[in-house]
Amino acid sequence: MSESKDITVVHLMRHGEVENPEGILYGRLPGYHLSELGRKMADRVAEHLASRDVTHVCASPLERAQETATPIAKAHGLDLATDARLIEADNVFQGKTFGVGDGALQRPENWKHLVNPFRPSWGEPYIDQVVRMMGALDAARDQARGHEAVLVSHQLPIWIVRSYVERRRLWHDPRKRQCTLASLTSFTYQGDKIVSVGYSEPAIDLVPVHLRAGAKPQKGKGTAQGKAFGA
């Protein structure tokens, strides 16, 4: 096999901004679509990737991921595939408000879900996310051997699988995730082995400052909070 055919790049993309005026932690709930700004983010990344050698585009089954991936697939004349392994992490707080100073964290009945941040006790175990995301990455590598693939997923699963590949601990401070809306976390394979991980933000100028990596969560309900805690 030639050296060029032995190199495959799989881009894990986080979806664009979601319309969520009530500030709900929407998780795996259906019915949450991209906002107008989110659609602009998706189009921007599609333009960014238009000249790349993308031969496979796949997304989480959730609407926001499907809508983000659609313009990328269209730009390359590809059918959009779906992989359930790319779905958002399960979370017991799904459907509730989950902010700083209000929402689910203020209710004593929910405190039992916060006892073990290492697993974590409030949702899908980190190691389970690693297993399914690595499976999706490897499947995309096989689909796009010698070329590039784009997989649209969600912030937490993307960050967890990146942390695993880069040999960091899986438990972490959510405020320090480097996985901005519409960002690309790119895994380069040589043969079957990941040899490097890159990160880029093609739509960063469209991302509100308070939603960028390292930004402090805002107090109160509403659109800003909902988008900050959405993934």
Side-chain angles (χ1 to χ4, degrees):
M1 182 180 292
S2 69
E3 183 176 351
S4 61
K5 290 184 178 180
D6 203 32
I7 299 297
T8 307
V9 180
V10 180
H11 305 281
L12 265 181
M13 180 182 176
R14 184 182 172 194
H15 61 78
E17 184 192 66
V18 176
E19 188 67 33
N20 182 21
E22 299 301 320
I24 300 299
L25 182 67
Y26 36 74
R28 295 180 175 180
L29 293 173
Y32 284 88
H33 298 267
L34 293 183
S35 65
E36 181 179 353
L37 180 59
R39 292 191 291 273
K40 290 180 180 177
M41 291 177 182
D43 289 340
R44 172 69 62 79
V45 179
E47 293 171 6
H48 173 77
L49 294 171
S51 63
R52 304 294 291 264
D53 184 23
V54 175
T55 61
H56 179 65
V57 180
C58 186
S60 155
L62 296 174
E63 292 98 330
R64 57 192 185 270
Q66 294 277 316
E67 292 165 3
T68 299
T70 294
I72 300 171
K74 183 177 179 180
H76 292 275
L78 299 170
D79 292 331
L80 175 60
T82 299
D83 190 333
R85 292 174 293 190
L86 296 171
I87 201 167
E88 173 64 288
D90 195 21
N91 193 310
V92 298
F93 296 112
Q94 175 179 289
K96 303 175 182 179
T97 58
F98 190 89
V100 177
D102 72 313
L105 291 182
Q106 295 296 302
R107 301 181 187 121
E109 64 269 24
N110 290 327
W111 295 348
K112 63 185 177 183
H113 299 301
L114 305 173
V115 298
N116 185 358
F118 305 106
R119 184 181 183 265
S121 53
W122 55 82
E124 182 183 8
Y126 292 137
I127 192 60
D128 290 359
Q129 295 178 53
V130 168
V131 170
R132 64 178 173 86
M133 290 297 287
M134 285 300 301
L137 279 168
D138 289 348
R141 172 206 63 202
D142 292 341
Q143 285 285 333
R145 288 274 184 185
H147 306 279
E148 299 185 34
V150 180
L151 307 181
V152 179
S153 186
H154 308 267
Q155 185 190 61
L156 179 56
I158 294 172
W159 180 248
I160 289 300
V161 75
R162 177 182 173 183
S163 296
Y164 171 78
V165 170
E166 295 183 331
R167 299 184 179 181
R168 289 194 302 274
R169 68 190 187 197
L170 300 184
W171 60 274
H172 61 283
D173 182 343
R175 297 169 297 181
K176 296 182 179 180
R177 296 173 190 159
Q178 188 184 41
C179 191
T180 302
L181 289 166
S183 61
L184 297 170
T185 301
S186 304
F187 299 79
T188 298
Y189 286 82
Q190 185 168 22
D192 291 345
K193 181 180 179 181
I194 296 174
V195 294
S196 67
V197 181
Y199 177 78
S200 59
E201 298 174 333
I204 190 60
D205 60 303
L206 298 176
V207 179
V209 173
H210 70 279
L211 298 184
R212 299 181 186 182
K216 294 181 178 180
Q218 297 186 346
K219 292 185 178 181
K221 299 180 181 180
T223 301
Q225 179 195 317
K227 291 168 182 171
F229 283 92

PDB file of all heavy atoms in Angstrom, residues 85 128-141 161-162 164-165 187 189 192 194:
ATOM      1  N   ARG A  85     -23.811   5.283  17.268  1.00  0.00           N
ATOM      2  CA  ARG A  85     -22.714   5.381  18.227  1.00  0.00           C
ATOM      3  C   ARG A  85     -22.233   6.813  18.419  1.00  0.00           C
ATOM      4  O   ARG A  85     -21.525   7.123  19.394  1.00  0.00           O
ATOM      5  CB  ARG A  85     -21.550   4.489  17.782  1.00  0.00           C
ATOM      6  CG  ARG A  85     -21.873   3.007  17.853  1.00  0.00           C
ATOM      7  CD  ARG A  85     -20.780   2.153  17.269  1.00  0.00           C
ATOM      8  NE  ARG A  85     -20.643   2.349  15.820  1.00  0.00           N
ATOM      9  CZ  ARG A  85     -19.886   1.590  15.032  1.00  0.00           C
ATOM     10  NH1 ARG A  85     -19.180   0.590  15.560  1.00  0.00           N
ATOM     11  NH2 ARG A  85     -19.828   1.815  13.735  1.00  0.00           N
ATOM     12  N   ASP A 128     -17.819   3.770  28.500  1.00  0.00           N
ATOM     13  CA  ASP A 128     -18.792   3.341  27.493  1.00  0.00           C
ATOM     14  C   ASP A 128     -18.796   4.298  26.306  1.00  0.00           C
ATOM     15  O   ASP A 128     -18.939   3.872  25.147  1.00  0.00           O
ATOM     16  CB  ASP A 128     -20.190   3.271  28.097  1.00  0.00           C
ATOM     17  CG  ASP A 128     -20.342   2.129  29.091  1.00  0.00           C
ATOM     18  OD1 ASP A 128     -19.368   1.369  29.295  1.00  0.00           O
ATOM     19  OD2 ASP A 128     -21.435   1.998  29.682  1.00  0.00           O
ATOM     20  N   GLN A 129     -18.631   5.582  26.577  1.00  0.00           N
ATOM     21  CA  GLN A 129     -18.544   6.562  25.492  1.00  0.00           C
ATOM     22  C   GLN A 129     -17.296   6.324  24.643  1.00  0.00           C
ATOM     23  O   GLN A 129     -17.339   6.437  23.415  1.00  0.00           O
ATOM     24  CB  GLN A 129     -18.542   7.975  26.065  1.00  0.00           C
ATOM     25  CG  GLN A 129     -19.834   8.354  26.764  1.00  0.00           C
ATOM     26  CD  GLN A 129     -19.776   9.738  27.351  1.00  0.00           C
ATOM     27  OE1 GLN A 129     -19.464  10.710  26.668  1.00  0.00           O
ATOM     28  NE2 GLN A 129     -20.082   9.856  28.648  1.00  0.00           N
ATOM     29  N   VAL A 130     -16.195   6.006  25.311  1.00  0.00           N
ATOM     30  CA  VAL A 130     -14.960   5.713  24.576  1.00  0.00           C
ATOM     31  C   VAL A 130     -15.163   4.534  23.628  1.00  0.00           C
ATOM     32  O   VAL A 130     -14.799   4.602  22.447  1.00  0.00           O
ATOM     33  CB  VAL A 130     -13.800   5.398  25.548  1.00  0.00           C
ATOM     34  CG1 VAL A 130     -12.603   4.813  24.792  1.00  0.00           C
ATOM     35  CG2 VAL A 130     -13.374   6.656  26.297  1.00  0.00           C
ATOM     36  N   VAL A 131     -15.759   3.470  24.133  1.00  0.00           N
ATOM     37  CA  VAL A 131     -15.927   2.252  23.328  1.00  0.00           C
ATOM     38  C   VAL A 131     -16.759   2.533  22.086  1.00  0.00           C
ATOM     39  O   VAL A 131     -16.377   2.158  20.961  1.00  0.00           O
ATOM     40  CB  VAL A 131     -16.560   1.130  24.171  1.00  0.00           C
ATOM     41  CG1 VAL A 131     -16.962  -0.042  23.285  1.00  0.00           C
ATOM     42  CG2 VAL A 131     -15.584   0.664  25.245  1.00  0.00           C
ATOM     43  N   ARG A 132     -17.886   3.202  22.250  1.00  0.00           N
ATOM     44  CA  ARG A 132     -18.753   3.421  21.081  1.00  0.00           C
ATOM     45  C   ARG A 132     -18.150   4.443  20.114  1.00  0.00           C
ATOM     46  O   ARG A 132     -18.260   4.280  18.888  1.00  0.00           O
ATOM     47  CB  ARG A 132     -20.161   3.812  21.508  1.00  0.00           C
ATOM     48  CG  ARG A 132     -20.306   5.130  22.266  1.00  0.00           C
ATOM     49  CD  ARG A 132     -21.795   5.373  22.552  1.00  0.00           C
ATOM     50  NE  ARG A 132     -22.071   6.514  23.407  1.00  0.00           N
ATOM     51  CZ  ARG A 132     -22.208   7.760  22.992  1.00  0.00           C
ATOM     52  NH1 ARG A 132     -22.031   8.064  21.712  1.00  0.00           N
ATOM     53  NH2 ARG A 132     -22.505   8.736  23.850  1.00  0.00           N
ATOM     54  N   MET A 133     -17.506   5.480  20.645  1.00  0.00           N
ATOM     55  CA  MET A 133     -16.915   6.496  19.765  1.00  0.00           C
ATOM     56  C   MET A 133     -15.702   5.950  19.011  1.00  0.00           C
ATOM     57  O   MET A 133     -15.505   6.265  17.830  1.00  0.00           O
ATOM     58  CB  MET A 133     -16.539   7.736  20.583  1.00  0.00           C
ATOM     59  CG  MET A 133     -17.741   8.521  21.098  1.00  0.00           C
ATOM     60  SD  MET A 133     -18.786   9.238  19.804  1.00  0.00           S
ATOM     61  CE  MET A 133     -17.720  10.580  19.241  1.00  0.00           C
ATOM     62  N   MET A 134     -14.897   5.138  19.672  1.00  0.00           N
ATOM     63  CA  MET A 134     -13.786   4.506  18.959  1.00  0.00           C
ATOM     64  C   MET A 134     -14.306   3.580  17.862  1.00  0.00           C
ATOM     65  O   MET A 134     -13.727   3.500  16.769  1.00  0.00           O
ATOM     66  CB  MET A 134     -12.894   3.737  19.930  1.00  0.00           C
ATOM     67  CG  MET A 134     -12.001   4.606  20.794  1.00  0.00           C
ATOM     68  SD  MET A 134     -10.840   5.650  19.839  1.00  0.00           S
ATOM     69  CE  MET A 134      -9.918   4.410  18.913  1.00  0.00           C
ATOM     70  N   GLY A 135     -15.410   2.904  18.130  1.00  0.00           N
ATOM     71  CA  GLY A 135     -16.013   2.062  17.112  1.00  0.00           C
ATOM     72  C   GLY A 135     -16.464   2.870  15.906  1.00  0.00           C
ATOM     73  O   GLY A 135     -16.267   2.459  14.751  1.00  0.00           O
ATOM     74  N   ALA A 136     -17.074   4.030  16.157  1.00  0.00           N
ATOM     75  CA  ALA A 136     -17.519   4.897  15.063  1.00  0.00           C
ATOM     76  C   ALA A 136     -16.339   5.465  14.286  1.00  0.00           C
ATOM     77  O   ALA A 136     -16.368   5.542  13.048  1.00  0.00           O
ATOM     78  CB  ALA A 136     -18.382   6.025  15.622  1.00  0.00           C
ATOM     79  N   LEU A 137     -15.292   5.867  14.995  1.00  0.00           N
ATOM     80  CA  LEU A 137     -14.090   6.382  14.328  1.00  0.00           C
ATOM     81  C   LEU A 137     -13.458   5.325  13.435  1.00  0.00           C
ATOM     82  O   LEU A 137     -13.113   5.593  12.271  1.00  0.00           O
ATOM     83  CB  LEU A 137     -13.071   6.844  15.375  1.00  0.00           C
ATOM     84  CG  LEU A 137     -13.265   8.224  15.996  1.00  0.00           C
ATOM     85  CD1 LEU A 137     -12.341   8.381  17.193  1.00  0.00           C
ATOM     86  CD2 LEU A 137     -12.999   9.321  14.984  1.00  0.00           C
ATOM     87  N   ASP A 138     -13.296   4.129  13.957  1.00  0.00           N
ATOM     88  CA  ASP A 138     -12.655   3.068  13.182  1.00  0.00           C
ATOM     89  C   ASP A 138     -13.500   2.654  11.980  1.00  0.00           C
ATOM     90  O   ASP A 138     -12.970   2.350  10.907  1.00  0.00           O
ATOM     91  CB  ASP A 138     -12.377   1.861  14.073  1.00  0.00           C
ATOM     92  CG  ASP A 138     -11.260   2.114  15.084  1.00  0.00           C
ATOM     93  OD1 ASP A 138     -10.556   3.129  14.957  1.00  0.00           O
ATOM     94  OD2 ASP A 138     -11.098   1.290  16.015  1.00  0.00           O
ATOM     95  N   ALA A 139     -14.827   2.664  12.142  1.00  0.00           N
ATOM     96  CA  ALA A 139     -15.703   2.338  11.020  1.00  0.00           C
ATOM     97  C   ALA A 139     -15.579   3.388   9.918  1.00  0.00           C
ATOM     98  O   ALA A 139     -15.550   3.057   8.722  1.00  0.00           O
ATOM     99  CB  ALA A 139     -17.151   2.232  11.494  1.00  0.00           C
ATOM    100  N   ALA A 140     -15.491   4.654  10.309  1.00  0.00           N
ATOM    101  CA  ALA A 140     -15.325   5.729   9.325  1.00  0.00           C
ATOM    102  C   ALA A 140     -13.963   5.635   8.644  1.00  0.00           C
ATOM    103  O   ALA A 140     -13.838   5.881   7.436  1.00  0.00           O
ATOM    104  CB  ALA A 140     -15.482   7.083  10.008  1.00  0.00           C
ATOM    105  N   ARG A 141     -12.946   5.284   9.405  1.00  0.00           N
ATOM    106  CA  ARG A 141     -11.609   5.069   8.811  1.00  0.00           C
ATOM    107  C   ARG A 141     -11.681   4.010   7.713  1.00  0.00           C
ATOM    108  O   ARG A 141     -11.121   4.194   6.624  1.00  0.00           O
ATOM    109  CB  ARG A 141     -10.649   4.622   9.902  1.00  0.00           C
ATOM    110  CG  ARG A 141      -9.268   4.184   9.418  1.00  0.00           C
ATOM    111  CD  ARG A 141      -8.648   3.212  10.407  1.00  0.00           C
ATOM    112  NE  ARG A 141      -9.440   1.977  10.507  1.00  0.00           N
ATOM    113  CZ  ARG A 141      -9.400   1.153  11.551  1.00  0.00           C
ATOM    114  NH1 ARG A 141      -8.644   1.421  12.593  1.00  0.00           N
ATOM    115  NH2 ARG A 141     -10.143   0.049  11.549  1.00  0.00           N
ATOM    116  N   VAL A 161     -13.481  10.906  23.851  1.00  0.00           N
ATOM    117  CA  VAL A 161     -12.662  10.039  22.999  1.00  0.00           C
ATOM    118  C   VAL A 161     -11.326  10.701  22.677  1.00  0.00           C
ATOM    119  O   VAL A 161     -10.293  10.032  22.592  1.00  0.00           O
ATOM    120  CB  VAL A 161     -13.428   9.619  21.725  1.00  0.00           C
ATOM    121  CG1 VAL A 161     -13.526  10.735  20.704  1.00  0.00           C
ATOM    122  CG2 VAL A 161     -12.776   8.377  21.104  1.00  0.00           C
ATOM    123  N   ARG A 162     -11.321  12.020  22.550  1.00  0.00           N
ATOM    124  CA  ARG A 162     -10.034  12.712  22.349  1.00  0.00           C
ATOM    125  C   ARG A 162      -9.153  12.547  23.590  1.00  0.00           C
ATOM    126  O   ARG A 162      -7.948  12.288  23.475  1.00  0.00           O
ATOM    127  CB  ARG A 162     -10.261  14.193  22.058  1.00  0.00           C
ATOM    128  CG  ARG A 162      -8.958  14.967  21.917  1.00  0.00           C
ATOM    129  CD  ARG A 162      -9.175  16.436  21.668  1.00  0.00           C
ATOM    130  NE  ARG A 162      -7.909  17.157  21.705  1.00  0.00           N
ATOM    131  CZ  ARG A 162      -7.784  18.478  21.571  1.00  0.00           C
ATOM    132  NH1 ARG A 162      -8.847  19.231  21.369  1.00  0.00           N
ATOM    133  NH2 ARG A 162      -6.591  19.040  21.639  1.00  0.00           N
ATOM    134  N   TYR A 164      -9.160  10.152  25.707  1.00  0.00           N
ATOM    135  CA  TYR A 164      -8.678   8.768  25.733  1.00  0.00           C
ATOM    136  C   TYR A 164      -7.501   8.583  24.777  1.00  0.00           C
ATOM    137  O   TYR A 164      -6.468   8.016  25.152  1.00  0.00           O
ATOM    138  CB  TYR A 164      -9.824   7.834  25.352  1.00  0.00           C
ATOM    139  CG  TYR A 164      -9.394   6.401  25.147  1.00  0.00           C
ATOM    140  CD1 TYR A 164      -9.160   5.561  26.229  1.00  0.00           C
ATOM    141  CD2 TYR A 164      -9.213   5.885  23.863  1.00  0.00           C
ATOM    142  CE1 TYR A 164      -8.752   4.241  26.042  1.00  0.00           C
ATOM    143  CE2 TYR A 164      -8.815   4.576  23.661  1.00  0.00           C
ATOM    144  CZ  TYR A 164      -8.584   3.760  24.751  1.00  0.00           C
ATOM    145  OH  TYR A 164      -8.170   2.465  24.550  1.00  0.00           O
ATOM    146  N   VAL A 165      -7.640   9.062  23.559  1.00  0.00           N
ATOM    147  CA  VAL A 165      -6.571   8.904  22.562  1.00  0.00           C
ATOM    148  C   VAL A 165      -5.308   9.636  22.997  1.00  0.00           C
ATOM    149  O   VAL A 165      -4.189   9.149  22.800  1.00  0.00           O
ATOM    150  CB  VAL A 165      -7.060   9.409  21.187  1.00  0.00           C
ATOM    151  CG1 VAL A 165      -5.896   9.491  20.192  1.00  0.00           C
ATOM    152  CG2 VAL A 165      -8.142   8.494  20.645  1.00  0.00           C
ATOM    153  N   PHE A 187      -8.621  13.242  13.616  1.00  0.00           N
ATOM    154  CA  PHE A 187      -7.785  12.094  13.945  1.00  0.00           C
ATOM    155  C   PHE A 187      -7.114  11.582  12.666  1.00  0.00           C
ATOM    156  O   PHE A 187      -7.811  11.203  11.719  1.00  0.00           O
ATOM    157  CB  PHE A 187      -8.621  10.982  14.572  1.00  0.00           C
ATOM    158  CG  PHE A 187      -9.291  11.384  15.865  1.00  0.00           C
ATOM    159  CD1 PHE A 187     -10.455  12.145  15.852  1.00  0.00           C
ATOM    160  CD2 PHE A 187      -8.743  11.012  17.081  1.00  0.00           C
ATOM    161  CE1 PHE A 187     -11.072  12.520  17.034  1.00  0.00           C
ATOM    162  CE2 PHE A 187      -9.355  11.386  18.274  1.00  0.00           C
ATOM    163  CZ  PHE A 187     -10.522  12.145  18.253  1.00  0.00           C
ATOM    164  N   TYR A 189      -4.997   8.775  10.884  1.00  0.00           N
ATOM    165  CA  TYR A 189      -4.608   7.367  10.978  1.00  0.00           C
ATOM    166  C   TYR A 189      -3.498   7.069   9.981  1.00  0.00           C
ATOM    167  O   TYR A 189      -3.529   7.544   8.840  1.00  0.00           O
ATOM    168  CB  TYR A 189      -5.781   6.455  10.618  1.00  0.00           C
ATOM    169  CG  TYR A 189      -6.873   6.324  11.636  1.00  0.00           C
ATOM    170  CD1 TYR A 189      -7.883   7.276  11.734  1.00  0.00           C
ATOM    171  CD2 TYR A 189      -6.939   5.209  12.470  1.00  0.00           C
ATOM    172  CE1 TYR A 189      -8.921   7.128  12.644  1.00  0.00           C
ATOM    173  CE2 TYR A 189      -7.978   5.053  13.387  1.00  0.00           C
ATOM    174  CZ  TYR A 189      -8.961   6.017  13.467  1.00  0.00           C
ATOM    175  OH  TYR A 189      -9.996   5.871  14.369  1.00  0.00           O
ATOM    176  N   ASP A 192      -4.119   1.420  10.539  1.00  0.00           N
ATOM    177  CA  ASP A 192      -5.189   1.321  11.538  1.00  0.00           C
ATOM    178  C   ASP A 192      -4.883   2.089  12.818  1.00  0.00           C
ATOM    179  O   ASP A 192      -5.684   2.073  13.757  1.00  0.00           O
ATOM    180  CB  ASP A 192      -5.430  -0.154  11.892  1.00  0.00           C
ATOM    181  CG  ASP A 192      -6.048  -0.930  10.744  1.00  0.00           C
ATOM    182  OD1 ASP A 192      -6.545  -0.300   9.792  1.00  0.00           O
ATOM    183  OD2 ASP A 192      -6.020  -2.186  10.794  1.00  0.00           O
ATOM    184  N   ILE A 194      -4.019   5.526  15.081  1.00  0.00           N
ATOM    185  CA  ILE A 194      -4.078   6.986  15.168  1.00  0.00           C
ATOM    186  C   ILE A 194      -2.689   7.510  15.510  1.00  0.00           C
ATOM    187  O   ILE A 194      -2.105   7.120  16.523  1.00  0.00           O
ATOM    188  CB  ILE A 194      -5.088   7.431  16.228  1.00  0.00           C
ATOM    189  CG1 ILE A 194      -6.507   6.995  15.837  1.00  0.00           C
ATOM    190  CG2 ILE A 194      -5.036   8.955  16.418  1.00  0.00           C
ATOM    191  CD1 ILE A 194      -7.557   7.262  16.900  1.00  0.00           C
TER     192      ILE A 194
END
